Amino acid sequence: MTIKNLDNRGLVRVKAAVFLTALLPFAKLAVAAYADELGANPIEKMTHVTGFWALSFLLITLTITPLRRLSGCLWLMRLRRMLGVFAFFYAALHFATYLVLDQFFDWPAIAKDILKRPYITIGFSAFVVLIPLALTSNDAIIRRLGGKRWRALHRLTYPCAIAGVVHFGWLVKKDLTRPIMFALVLALLLGMRVAYRLAGNRTAHQKAV
């Protein structure tokens, strides 16, 4: 067995390690909340941490395909859905923090925020798009939709990631270091996707000729 060609046992171990690693930010946040160590503004801290990891896992998910192409490790694709579900998990925590702890289920105030504050509008839109992506991340739904329609649906991950980066940038306002880093990573991933698409079209054209 090599890193490039994992057997089933090796893949199970990698999946378990990735799963536990992905839970670490949540565990750390939960421990800090229990110990009352979230600082002077715990709601803001929880909002920022969950939002940061939602966007991080979203970009990590988008990294899987180009990383597989570059490394030749086909088993990486077996991690993509799990990482995408973790992106939704942290996004749901991010939204729940706002809904429950910040607004206390004040629906009129929430509706007003969504309509009047651009960073909340675009952030909420990204979360809504993530919902069907998370709900269709299982084999039964993939078989029902068919691979072609499933892939078309999950291309929405890219505009969702763009909306997430914009939401982050508009939210922090002053220190844009992290949003800019996310934007650069996303731009690189989008550029690689376009390059692979153009290369594939060129190869198909050459074969047709």
Side-chain angles (χ1 to χ4, degrees):
M1 181 184 69
T2 64
I3 294 178
K4 191 172 182 178
N5 299 296
L6 285 182
D7 57 20
N8 288 335
R9 180 178 296 181
L11 183 59
V12 168
R13 291 174 179 171
V14 170
K15 280 187 170 183
V18 171
F19 182 86
L20 293 174
T21 302
L23 279 177
L24 283 178
F26 173 72
K28 184 178 179 181
L29 187 63
V31 170
Y34 180 78
D36 196 20
E37 295 178 351
L38 291 177
N41 193 334
I43 295 176
E44 183 180 87
K45 178 70 172 181
M46 292 175 66
T47 301
H48 287 175
V49 170
T50 54
F52 173 83
W53 284 108
L55 189 53
S56 294
F57 277 107
L58 194 57
L59 294 187
I60 291 171
T61 302
L62 294 176
T63 304
I64 292 296
T65 298
L67 189 60
R68 186 265 299 172
R69 288 177 179 269
L70 292 171
S71 67
C73 297
L74 299 179
W75 56 266
L76 285 170
M77 301 302 289
R78 304 283 295 275
L79 304 177
R80 188 170 59 178
R81 272 188 281 168
M82 179 172 64
L83 291 167
V85 170
F86 268 108
F88 176 75
F89 171 69
Y90 283 104
L93 289 177
H94 182 66
F95 179 68
T97 301
Y98 168 76
L99 175 67
V100 180
L101 301 180
D102 191 6
Q103 294 295 334
F104 301 103
F105 297 102
D106 187 344
W107 301 109
I110 292 170
K112 184 178 179 180
D113 268 355
I114 293 172
L115 294 174
K116 295 293 182 66
R117 296 186 179 184
Y119 78 92
I120 293 181
T121 304
I122 197 166
F124 180 73
S125 299
F127 177 67
V128 169
V129 171
L130 274 179
I131 294 174
L133 301 184
L135 292 176
T136 55
S137 292
N138 62 78
D139 292 334
I141 295 296
I142 294 173
R143 286 193 296 269
R144 182 174 297 180
L145 287 175
K148 187 175 182 180
R149 284 190 293 176
W150 184 85
R151 285 190 294 271
L153 173 64
H154 279 254
R155 289 191 189 103
L156 291 174
T157 307
Y158 286 93
C160 185
I162 293 171
V165 170
V166 174
H167 168 72
F168 191 17
W170 285 349
L171 174 65
V172 297
K173 296 178 182 178
K174 294 182 180 179
D175 185 2
L176 295 175
T177 303
R178 281 185 170 181
I180 289 173
M181 290 176 62
F182 277 119
L184 291 174
V185 171
L186 181 56
L188 176 62
L189 293 172
L190 289 171
M192 292 178 71
R193 179 177 175 81
V194 171
Y196 284 129
R197 177 64 63 87
L198 292 175
N201 291 341
R202 190 179 303 114
T203 301
H205 177 72
Q206 289 172 349
K207 288 181 178 179
V209 174

